[in-house]
Amino acid sequence: MFFMMGITDGRKDFDFTQTIICNLCGKYGRYQVFMTYTVLSLFLIPCLKWNKHYYVQTSCCHALYELDPEIGKAISHGEPVEIRQEHLTRVNRGGYGSFYGAYKHCQCCGFETAEDFEYCPKCGTRF
């Protein structure tokens, strides 16, 4: 007899939208809510989830916030809630960053890259 099991990380996007005026960039946008977790699977069937964290990302400048777990649970259960600033803890500053890594943006020519360059490969300006 053999067991097939694995531990992986996952992400679940929620069908939740709240329109906002961003405190960081001042643009009109919306909150996009998602949860990250670790899951144990037996025979490819997810059995146990733990290490749940709820996040909010703005659609305008992609600023990332960690959401209060109680508010995140309410959203995951489909309850109508309003996310307020006191429910959020900033994870990154926004701009051209994302949850999985930050992009560099050249102020001179507008070139974007995820590479760890010190100088812009297009115009030579220091990042």
Side-chain angles (χ1 to χ4, degrees), residues 13 23 25-26 52 70 75-76 81-82 90-92 96 111 118 123 126:
D13 294 319
N23 291 338
C25 69
K52 295 179 182 179
E70 295 301 317
I75 292 171
S76 70
V81 297
E82 180 182 352
R90 192 166 17 162
V91 175
N92 78 356
Y96 292 90
F111 181 77
E118 190 171 337
C123 69
R126 188 179 184 115

Side-chain angles (χ1 to χ4, degrees), residues 17-38:
T17 55
Q18 178 179 328
T19 50
I20 57 154
I21 296 177
C22 185
N23 291 338
L24 294 177
C25 69
K27 293 181 182 176
Y28 187 69
R30 69 182 183 283
Y31 285 146
Q32 300 164 329
V33 181
F34 63 94
M35 174 182 68
T36 61
Y37 56 88
T38 305

